[in-house]
C-alpha cells in the first residue's frame, strides 16, 4: 500500500461528524507488508479504530505479530466506554505504531509513551489531513469548550428579519437544504428566547426533507420561559436561563458537545461574537433588500475599520439564487 496513513484518514472520514469522540481510522500492515486489517470509529460506545482494525484482521485470518499500525490519532490509554487501545495493540502483537495527531485529551493522552515503554516502536507521524479532519474536535477538547459556528440567513443589506419580525423566507430551498445538512453534523443548536417566541422553530435536522437519525440538542438561551413551543416537543432540548455566554459554553461542554451552531437571533449572535468565541461564520446571503429590520449582528463596540473582526474566507458556494460564505475567525491550532 502506497500511503497507509492517507488510507487511515480516508477511513476516519467515514465516521460521524457529530458526537463527543473524534473521527479516527486505522490501517494494520502485516510483517509481510500487506494490509492485514482496517477499521474506523463509528462514535461513542462503539469500538475504537484500532480495535475495529484488529477485529477486521482476525476476521480475515491475518497474522498481527510484527505488524505496523497507522492510526490517525494517538492510541488512547484510558478506559472510557471501551478499553484502552494501547492494550489492544500490544496484546495483538503489533510491533510498530505511527500516529498522526497527539491526543489533546489529558485523560486519554500519552499512548505513544506507554507503547514505547512496552517496547513498541511508536512514533508521531504528523499528517495535515488527519489534523484537518478533526480540527473542530481538537480545538473543542484542548480549549474545554465547544467549537462555535454562527449561522444566519440575511438579505444583501444584512437584515435577518423585517421590522415586523417576519423572516420566512429570506433564502431559497437550496440554501435551507444546505443548512439542514450542516445541522445534521453538529451536536447542538443554540437560539435565544426571542427567536423561539417569534418563529416557533422546530430546530430539527432534515437533510433531504427527512429527519436525520442524529438530532442535535436544542438549546434555548434567555430568562423568559417559552412553554408549548415546538422546541419542547421531546426531551432533546434544554433551556439555559442566563445571558452569560461562558455559562452556555460550559454547560454544553459538560454535555460533551464539541460543535455548536448558533442560529440567532441577532441578540444571541451578537453576544457570542462580543465574547470572542465564534470560530466560524456561515452567512447565507439572498439577493433581496429590506432597508429596515433586524441586523444579522448588532453593535460589537467596533468603531474603526482597523478593529473589524476579519475572518479567513474558507468557501463561497452558490445555492440557487443565494450564496453561502463560510469565514473562519478561529486562530488556534
Ligand atoms: N434570518 C435568520 O437567520 C434568523 C435566525 C434567527 C432569528 N431570526 C429572526 O430574528 C428575530 C429574533 O431576534 P432577537 O435578536 O430578538 O432574538 P434572539 O437573539 O433569539 O433572542 C433574544 C433574547 O434572548 C435572551 N438572551 C439570551 N442571551 C442573551 C444575551 N447574552 N444578552 C441579551 N439577551 C439574551 C433575551 O431574552 P430573555 O428576556 O428571555 O432573557 C433576549 O431578549 C426574529 O424576528 C427572527 O425571525 C432570523
Amino acid at each position: 500500500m502506497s500511503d497507509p496513513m492517507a488510507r487511515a484518514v480516508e477511513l476516519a472520514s467515514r465516521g460521524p461528524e457529530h458526537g463527543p469522540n473524534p473521527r479516527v481510522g486505522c490501517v494494520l500492515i502485516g510483517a509481510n507488508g500487506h494490509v492485514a486489517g482496517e477499521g474506523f470509529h463509528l462514535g461513542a460506545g462503539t469500538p475504537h479504530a484500532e480495535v475495529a482494525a484488529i477485529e477486521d484482521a482476525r476476521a480475515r485470518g491475518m497474522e498481527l505479530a510484527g505488524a505496523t499500525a497507522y492510526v490517525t490519532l494517538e492510541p488512547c490509554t484510558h478506559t472510557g466506554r471501551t478499553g484502552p487501545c494501547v492494550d489492544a495493540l500490544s496484546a495483538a502483537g503489533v510491533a510498530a505504531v505511527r500516529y498522526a495527531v497527539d491526543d489533546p485529551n489529558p485523560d486519554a493522552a500519552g499512548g505513544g509513551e506507554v507503547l514505547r515503554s512496552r517496547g513498541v516502536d511508536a512514533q508521531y507521524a504528523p499528517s495535515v489531513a488527519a489534523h484537518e479532519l478533526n480540527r473542530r474536535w481538537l480545538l473543542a477538547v484542548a480549549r474545554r469548550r465547544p467549537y462555535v459556528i454562527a449561522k444566519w440567513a440575511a438579505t444583501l443589506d444584512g437584515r435577518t428579519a423585517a421590522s415586523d419580525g417576519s423572516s420566512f423566507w429570506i433564502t431559497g430551498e437550496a440554501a435551507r437544504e444546505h443548512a439542514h445538512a450542516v445541522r445534521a453534523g453538529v451536536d447542538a443548536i443554540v437560539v435565544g428566547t426571542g427567536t423561539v417566541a417569534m418563529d416557533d422553530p422546530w430546530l430539527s435536522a432534515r437533510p433531504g426533507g427527512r429527519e436525520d437519525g442524529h438530532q442535535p440538542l436544542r438549546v434555548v438561551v434567555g430568562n423568559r420561559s417559552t412553554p408549548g413551543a415546538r422546541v419542547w416537543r421531546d426531551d432533546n432540548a434544554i433551556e439555559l436561563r442566563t445571558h452569560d455566554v461562558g455559562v452556555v459554553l460550559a454547560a454544553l461542554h459538560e454535555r460533551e458537545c464539541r460543535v455548536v451552531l448558533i442560529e440567532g437571533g441577532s441578540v444571541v449572535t451578537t453576544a457570542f461574537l462580543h465574547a470572542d468565541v465564534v470560530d466560524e461564520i456561515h452567512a447565507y446571503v439572498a439577493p433581496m433588500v429590506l432597508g429596515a429590520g433586524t441586523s444579522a449582528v448588532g453593535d460589537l463596540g467596533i468603531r474603526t475599520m482597523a478593529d473589524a473582526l476579519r475572518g479567513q474566507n474558507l468557501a463561497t458556494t452558490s445555492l440557487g439564487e443565494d450564496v453561502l460564505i463560510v469565514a473562519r475567525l478561529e486562530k488556534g491550532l
Side-chain angles (χ1 to χ4, degrees):
M1 161 158 305
S2 53
D3 185 352
M5 192 61 89
R7 171 70 179 158
V9 173
E10 199 274 307
L11 289 166
S13 71
R14 300 183 193 179
E17 260 185 282
H18 56 81
N21 288 359
R23 296 199 276 175
V24 188
C26 177
V27 174
L28 292 164
I29 303 291
N32 60 4
H34 295 297
V35 175
E38 294 186 332
F40 60 96
H41 182 49
L42 268 170
T46 70
H48 288 187
E50 297 90 323
V51 172
I54 292 168
E55 283 170 2
D56 180 46
R58 293 209 172 111
R60 298 190 204 190
M62 303 299 272
E63 179 54 58
L64 287 180
T68 300
Y70 291 82
V71 201
T72 57
L73 183 72
E74 184 178 22
C76 73
T77 53
H78 83 319
T79 304
R81 296 169 177 102
T82 58
C85 288
V86 288
D87 292 354
L89 289 166
S90 39
V94 168
V97 176
R98 299 290 175 266
Y99 54 94
V101 175
D102 284 322
D103 196 323
N105 180 356
D107 298 333
E113 198 48 56
V114 170
L115 287 165
R116 284 188 286 279
S117 73
R118 293 180 187 172
V120 176
D121 171 23
Q123 287 179 35
Y124 171 51
S127 149
V128 172
H131 187 276
E132 193 55 28
L133 187 72
N134 282 314
R135 191 177 51 83
R136 293 169 173 177
W137 181 88
L138 288 164
L139 275 164
V141 171
R143 299 190 302 203
R144 302 186 61 75
R145 65 129 170 115
Y147 187 89
V148 175
I149 302 171
K151 168 241 162 171
W152 59 77
T155 60
L156 287 176
D157 53 332
R159 309 287 179 178
T160 48
S163 41
D164 67 354
S166 61
S167 62
F168 298 151
W169 293 104
I170 292 174
T171 46
E173 247 175 55
R176 301 206 302 273
E177 167 61 27
H178 188 278
H180 276 290
V182 172
R183 281 180 174 177
V186 303
D187 299 306
I189 302 176
V190 175
V191 292
T193 51
T195 295
V196 174
M198 178 54 93
D199 297 350
D200 196 12
W202 292 93
L203 298 186
S204 56
R206 299 187 302 276
R210 285 212 201 136
E211 290 251 335
D212 195 70
H214 161 70
Q215 288 299 318
L217 178 72
R218 301 181 296 273
V219 182
V220 178
V221 182
N223 295 322
R224 264 173 287 171
S225 57
T226 52
R230 288 173 180 146
V231 288
W232 307 122
R233 63 189 174 280
D234 61 34
D235 60 6
N236 190 30
I238 56 168
E239 58 180 353
L240 296 173
R241 291 183 174 242
T242 179
H243 287 180
D244 187 330
V245 167
V247 169
V248 174
L249 291 179
L252 296 180
H253 178 75
E254 185 69 23
R255 287 176 169 259
E256 298 192 299
C257 291
R258 305 296 182 221
V259 182
V260 306
L261 191 60
I262 311 299
E263 292 216 16
S266 180
V267 169
V268 164
T269 301
T270 305
F272 275 78
L273 280 164
H274 201 265
D276 198 18
V277 293
V278 175
D279 298 303
E280 214 168 285
I281 291 174
H282 291 195
Y284 295 86
V285 181
M288 183 193 289
V289 173
L290 275 166
T294 312
S295 290
V297 181
D299 190 356
L300 293 172
I302 296 169
R303 294 291 172 263
T304 182
M305 281 308 291
D307 295 340
L309 266 185
R310 185 167 284 280
Q312 182 195 353
N313 184 348
L314 282 190
T316 307
T317 312
S318 283
L319 296 161
E321 289 278 284
D322 310 316
V323 171
L324 165 65
I325 299 173
V326 174
R328 191 186 282 174
L329 298 178
E330 153 263 306
K331 300 154 208 87
L333 289 179

